[in-house]
Amino acid sequence: MKTTIPRAFGMAAMAACLAAPVLAQSVTLDVTAWKGNEAEPAGLAELIEKFEGEHPDIAVELSYIGRLDTDTVIPPRLQGGDPPDVMMTDMPLVEIWGDAGLLADLGKDSEWWGRIPADLQSALESGDATYIMPLEVIGMGNFVNMGLLKKVGIEEAPTTIEELKETCGALADAEINPMIFTGGFSAPLLLIANGLEGSDDAAAALGSGDASFAENAAFDAGVDLIRALEEARCFDGRQQAGLDPWSTALSEFTGGNFAMMPQGAWNIGAFREIEGLDFVFAPLPSARDSGVALDLFGIGWSVASASENREAAQTFVEWFAKPENLQVMLDAESAYSPFDDGASGTPEQARPYDEARAAGGVINYPFALLQWPKSLEGEIWDSMTGFLLDTSARTNEDLLSRWDEAVEDDF
């Protein structure tokens, strides 16, 4: 699906046009993204309209291509000499396309590179090159229906494991379903967050095979935690293990049928549109008083090395890095800035998650930064689904050894 965003005119746009550098000739940028459609607009229509108003010599043709489709649609264009000029990417794509020489090095002498925190800089580097300009970091935490919690006298979302167990018990006593806990997403989030929080091994060591999940005491305790939560009546594994986390689970939560659901902050905007849904987005409960803010480095812009409009493409990318422009996307996505200015677009519903981040309870989701191989993610979802179907049938070592095997098979 292709959508051409119209140009904007007016006094403000006219002034910006006069101030903007003018290219030798007008160009049309071919931009692809898995945001910008009706379901996830991400502010792109507004931003592209503004960009074109400030750069009358650059038109933008935005093509929406889903993330899964991007893996198959874009490579033939990159390899066949007909690449998009600018592409929405994430680190798994950057690793593949950058190593193949299909992406332009954006360099480290730009103003925006200097504003990225050092730990994120190191994750975004590809050797001496930089192939992605980051756009956002999105939280993964616990959605909590406060209307249901208040029915049992609880006024705050749980942030510790003990608070979570007590909340589950009170809800279950009142015949309110405490949690949606799918094996394909929500259960792994809680286990990964608690495992990494208590681990003596770095995430990268576990993802490279230098350390073992099966021999890691924190992940062993994390599996026991899942069993303990089921015993505390937080969820029924057999009933929920195979629920689709991207459709059924969401509708069950928004319909008020469950009180809590680990998921991503990208749902906040849609949830706010549901009349009568009183919810907050909280950290994942853990041993810390603050809980865990599991941050996902999401998306960025990359430029094709074979782009015929490299100068215009670079202008487009750098324009998005300006705080006043990026803020539009952050607001639309309920996201955090990847830069060191502390900007965010999170609404009041995300205050508990914001507080966890401020308290230092942040853990980066290891798949998004290539600390864990992509194949391991699928194995975790599959193995957790099987585990939840009967948490007493398998040992911790059985479960975690499958994770180690997935890491070994990737090398």
Side-chain angles (χ1 to χ4, degrees):
M1 181 187 78
K2 289 196 174 183
T3 304
T4 301
I5 310 297
R7 299 188 185 189
F9 293 95
M11 294 303 295
M14 183 69 73
C17 291
L18 294 174
V22 178
L23 299 178
Q25 59 184 2
S26 296
V27 300
T28 297
L29 283 179
D30 182 353
V31 179
T32 64
W34 57 84
K35 305 278 187 179
N37 64 343
E38 184 176 348
E40 292 186 84
L44 282 179
E46 176 184 349
L47 285 165
I48 290 175
E49 184 177 9
K50 182 183 178 187
F51 173 82
E52 289 187 321
E54 295 179 12
H55 299 83
D57 51 337
I58 305 176
V60 177
E61 186 176 75
L62 176 66
S63 299
Y64 172 81
I65 303 175
R67 173 60 183 87
L68 295 179
D69 291 333
T70 295
D71 285 324
T72 56
V73 173
I74 301 300
R77 294 188 59 188
L78 291 172
Q79 297 166 348
D82 180 33
D85 296 298
V86 180
M87 298 157 292
M88 182 170 285
T89 54
D90 53 22
M91 288 310 295
L93 291 175
V94 165
E95 181 181 44
I96 297 170
W97 297 348
D99 288 350
L102 301 174
L103 300 180
D105 182 3
L106 301 179
K108 300 177 184 178
D109 55 355
S110 60
E111 183 273 340
W112 58 263
W113 178 258
R115 291 191 285 115
I116 299 174
D119 57 342
L120 184 56
Q121 276 188 353
S122 62
L124 298 182
E125 291 175 319
S126 300
D128 294 329
T130 305
Y131 297 125
I132 185 171
M133 194 285 287
L135 290 169
E136 63 183 25
V137 172
I138 299 184
M140 296 193 295
N142 191 29
F143 281 95
V144 182
N145 185 322
M146 294 307 302
L148 293 180
L149 263 63
K150 290 172 184 176
K151 287 184 177 182
V152 296
I154 299 175
E155 299 292 329
E156 298 287 340
T159 57
T160 69
I161 295 301
E162 290 309 310
E163 289 173 351
L164 177 59
K165 291 179 181 178
E166 292 172 5
T167 299
C168 289
L171 290 166
D173 286 342
E175 298 185 345
I176 297 172
N177 295 316
M179 293 188 77
I180 295 178
F181 211 60
T182 65
F185 194 59
S186 54
L189 291 188
L190 190 70
L191 178 50
I192 290 169
N194 278 271
L196 288 177
E197 180 186 66
S199 178
D200 291 331
D201 298 315
L206 290 163
S208 66
D210 290 339
S212 166
F213 287 104
E215 298 175 1
N216 186 289
F219 277 90
D220 183 68
V223 180
D224 287 336
L225 168 62
I226 302 301
R227 292 194 183 92
L229 292 179
E230 186 169 41
E231 292 173 2
R233 298 179 292 168
C234 288
F235 62 90
D236 184 327
R238 291 189 179 185
Q239 290 185 358
Q240 299 178 42
L243 287 180
D244 187 336
W246 315 113
S247 58
T248 307
L250 300 181
S251 61
E252 287 291 325
F253 178 80
T254 56
N257 298 323
F258 288 83
M260 294 176 284
M261 177 183 65
Q263 250 285 353
W266 51 81
N267 294 296
I268 290 177
F271 288 3
R272 293 178 72 194
E273 299 296 320
I274 298 174
E275 185 176 355
L277 183 60
D278 177 14
F279 75 92
V280 297
F281 181 65
L284 294 164
S286 74
R288 291 177 58 101
D289 289 341
S290 66
V292 169
L294 189 61
D295 276 2
L296 169 73
F297 170 69
I299 56 174
W301 290 128
S302 295
V303 175
S305 58
S307 167
E308 296 180 354
N309 301 304
R310 287 275 291 274
E311 182 180 354
Q314 188 87 12
T315 298
F316 179 86
V317 168
E318 293 181 355
W319 184 88
F320 267 80
K322 295 179 180 180
E324 65 272 20
N325 298 329
L326 186 60
Q327 189 64 48
V328 175
M329 177 173 282
L330 299 181
D331 290 341
E333 293 277 275
S334 298
Y336 300 94
S337 171
F339 301 106
D340 59 11
D341 53 14
S344 77
T346 55
E348 175 60 24
Q349 284 91 343
R351 178 184 54 81
Y353 194 93
D354 293 343
E355 291 174 349
R357 292 181 99 244
V362 177
I363 292 177
N364 288 310
Y365 188 57
F367 292 106
L369 298 179
L370 304 182
Q371 295 170 319
W372 291 2
K374 185 65 177 176
S375 58
L376 173 60
E377 188 171 41
E379 174 56 48
I380 289 176
W381 293 1
D382 289 344
S383 61
M384 284 300 298
T385 297
F387 176 72
L388 290 179
L389 288 172
D390 190 349
T391 55
S392 64
R394 297 180 59 187
T395 67
N396 297 9
E397 184 176 4
D398 286 341
L399 176 70
L400 297 174
S401 291
R402 286 184 58 176
W403 299 15
D404 288 327
E405 290 169 7
V407 171
E408 183 179 350
D409 289 347
D410 193 72
F411 288 91

